[in-house]
Amino acid sequence: MQTRKDKKLARSGQRRVPRRSSYATAGVNSQKEESGLRTLVHHLQETLATRPAGIGQVQLPFGFFANVIDIGGTGLAISTDGVGSKILIAQMMDKYDTVGIDCVAMNVNDVLCVGAEPLAMVDYIAVQEPNPRLLGELAKGLKAGALTAGITIPAGEIAQVRDIIKGVRPGYGFDLAGTAVGTVPLDKILVGRSIEPDDVILGLRSTGVHSNGVTLARRLLKKYRATTHFNDLGRSLGEELLAPTRIYVREVVDVLKSDVDVKALIHITSDGFLNLLRVASNTGYVVHALPEPHPIFKIIEREANVTIEEMYRVYNMGIGFCLVVSHRGDHVTRTREILKRHNVECYEIGRAVAEPEKAIVIEPANLVGKDGRFRRR
């Protein structure tokens, strides 16, 4: 049935174009967030002066995946993150035993990125009400994630905040976040300062969407139920979106403990491959080959009407973690051998290049990324 607007367009010979979905139209305003972050950092920067030297001195500026504090000749790496709106999918599916894995993963993977070995994490659970079943299922995921990462969860906090937390299932509203710590020798902090042209980017396979871009992916739920089965996925949409974020700790720590010359470690989270720029190098990058993205990414692009530029800005597109390794000698070969022992799918996806503007070229998608966005080449 045509609306009056449709009829007007038909008479004028115009074709109605479906509105494109983006992170912003889904409710995540990255530009406002960036502006707010600058204000936040401006104020918090002053706190660094309280520990100008010695124990407690902060080793890195703001902006990396984690920071490092001097605790007496050793670096204590620290990072914090949550699960985001993936918790709404858990409520829709009434399944809560995996989001704890996501919480651990989002934190320990970030701690890895400064060259640290994760040791422990504390959790914060805010609930609509202290539902024993919910808390028990969340604990199962936290335990599974901790065992996979080889860390402890020695403490945590539960807050009953009924007036704040609502959710989509009565009595099951919650939020989940964590803070992880690890250690790294002060002279081995990795932030990419030694990257040079031709150094190799190795990409490790993701398990799917992980815990980023779920707000945009939930646009699919305007058309489908969380329980809708997709043949391309081999399971329901909700089951796919709940697939836990991969934890990369054991394999990456083994690489770090070897004599491989690792230049940088990058967790591909929100901002997608733009995260390659969250290092201290003066290079750009060319990504020349990528594995086929998981089917869920094609479904989001098609069914939620998302541009390819936005897909690569928001999602990992099949690669959840990257290592930048020296192109000299046999460092790449030895890294791949270590990762193979851990049964990790590893791909040589690109190289660092001399690029004064620090841009990222994604050749398979014909995109160039800089200034916080991707554009067609």
Side-chain angles (χ1 to χ4, degrees):
M1 178 177 167
Q2 286 184 316
T3 65
R4 284 187 65 182
K5 187 174 182 182
D6 291 331
K7 290 175 181 176
K8 265 188 176 180
L9 289 170
R11 283 198 298 269
S12 66
Q14 298 177 39
R15 184 173 60 87
R16 193 172 190 183
V17 179
R19 185 186 182 193
R20 290 287 195 177
S21 293
S22 67
Y23 224 10
T25 61
V28 180
N29 191 318
S30 297
Q31 288 185 332
K32 273 191 175 180
E33 179 182 328
E34 195 64 34
S35 175
L37 180 60
R38 284 194 295 270
T39 301
L40 191 66
V41 169
H42 172 74
H43 289 286
L44 298 183
Q45 187 78 34
E46 296 179 21
T47 70
L48 305 189
T50 63
R51 297 281 183 171
I55 294 178
Q57 182 185 35
V58 177
Q59 301 297 298
L60 297 171
F62 288 93
F64 294 104
F65 291 91
N67 213 320
V68 181
I69 300 166
D70 183 352
I71 55 171
T74 297
L76 179 73
I78 185 167
S79 188
T80 189
D81 207 345
V83 178
S85 68
K86 194 166 189 172
I87 61 175
L88 298 178
I89 306 296
Q91 290 173 55
M92 291 174 189
M93 298 295 291
D94 197 26
K95 186 177 187 304
Y96 313 98
D97 62 344
T98 61
V99 288
I101 300 173
D102 292 286
C103 187
V104 172
M106 296 302 289
N107 283 282
V108 296
N109 289 345
D110 278 0
V111 166
L112 281 175
C113 290
V114 290
E117 179 177 2
L119 298 177
M121 188 192 87
V122 293
D123 63 87
Y124 170 78
I125 307 172
V127 295
Q128 184 177 15
E129 59 184 64
N131 185 312
R133 174 180 171 246
L134 170 64
L135 294 172
E137 294 298 293
L138 292 177
K140 289 179 183 178
L142 289 167
K143 174 185 173 181
L147 294 177
T148 300
I151 66 166
T152 64
I153 300 181
E157 176 75 8
I158 297 173
Q160 297 182 47
V161 284
R162 176 185 291 272
D163 292 338
I164 299 173
I165 300 293
K166 302 299 179 185
V168 297
R169 183 178 290 271
Y172 282 83
F174 73 99
D175 194 15
L176 176 62
T179 298
V181 295
T183 54
V184 57
L186 293 176
D187 61 348
K188 291 188 177 180
I189 298 171
L190 285 179
V191 289
R193 293 191 179 102
S194 63
I195 294 175
E196 58 185 353
D198 291 329
D199 283 341
V200 177
I201 309 169
L202 296 176
L204 309 187
R205 191 69 160 161
S206 69
T207 53
V209 168
H210 283 183
S211 293
N212 295 104
V214 178
T215 297
L216 180 54
R218 285 192 293 111
R219 282 295 176 99
L220 296 175
L221 300 174
K222 293 181 179 295
K223 290 184 177 182
Y224 306 100
R225 295 179 181 273
T227 53
T228 301
H229 186 276
F230 278 77
N231 289 334
D232 290 351
L233 302 176
R235 54 183 168 181
S236 72
L237 179 59
E239 289 171 320
E240 176 67 24
L241 293 178
L242 277 183
T245 304
R246 181 156 193 167
I247 294 171
Y248 298 96
V249 171
R250 294 184 187 273
E251 52 265 42
V252 172
V253 167
D254 272 5
V255 174
L256 290 172
K257 288 183 176 179
S258 73
D259 59 353
V260 167
D261 188 5
V262 179
K263 304 289 189 75
L265 300 159
I266 300 103
H267 190 191
I268 306 300
T269 55
S270 58
D271 287 341
F273 284 100
L274 291 171
N275 277 306
L276 288 168
L277 298 178
R278 288 181 67 179
V279 296
S281 78
N282 292 316
T283 61
Y285 303 91
V286 173
V287 174
H288 54 71
L290 288 169
E292 183 68 21
H294 302 75
I296 184 61
F297 296 115
K298 287 292 184 184
I299 291 172
I300 294 170
E301 181 184 352
R302 181 183 70 242
E303 300 293 329
N305 196 28
V306 182
T307 66
I308 194 68
E309 295 94 326
E310 188 76 350
M311 292 296 298
Y312 275 86
R313 188 181 75 85
V314 174
Y315 296 108
N316 66 63
M317 300 304 285
I319 295 294
F321 199 91
C322 290
L323 299 87
V324 180
V325 178
S326 174
H327 68 283
R328 304 178 190 280
D330 62 350
H331 294 284
V332 172
T333 299
R334 284 189 286 130
T335 301
R336 298 191 74 161
E337 288 172 350
I338 293 169
L339 296 171
K340 186 176 181 179
R341 291 202 294 270
H342 286 273
N343 297 313
V344 178
E345 291 181 66
C346 173
Y347 303 86
E348 186 172 324
I349 65 172
R351 291 180 178 268
V353 294
E355 168 57 73
E357 295 186 3
K358 293 186 68 173
I360 301 169
V361 174
I362 310 288
E363 289 184 342
N366 197 33
L367 299 174
V368 59
K370 62 179 180 178
D371 301 325
R373 59 181 293 190
F374 279 105
R375 300 174 179 85
R376 294 279 183 174
R377 291 175 69 192

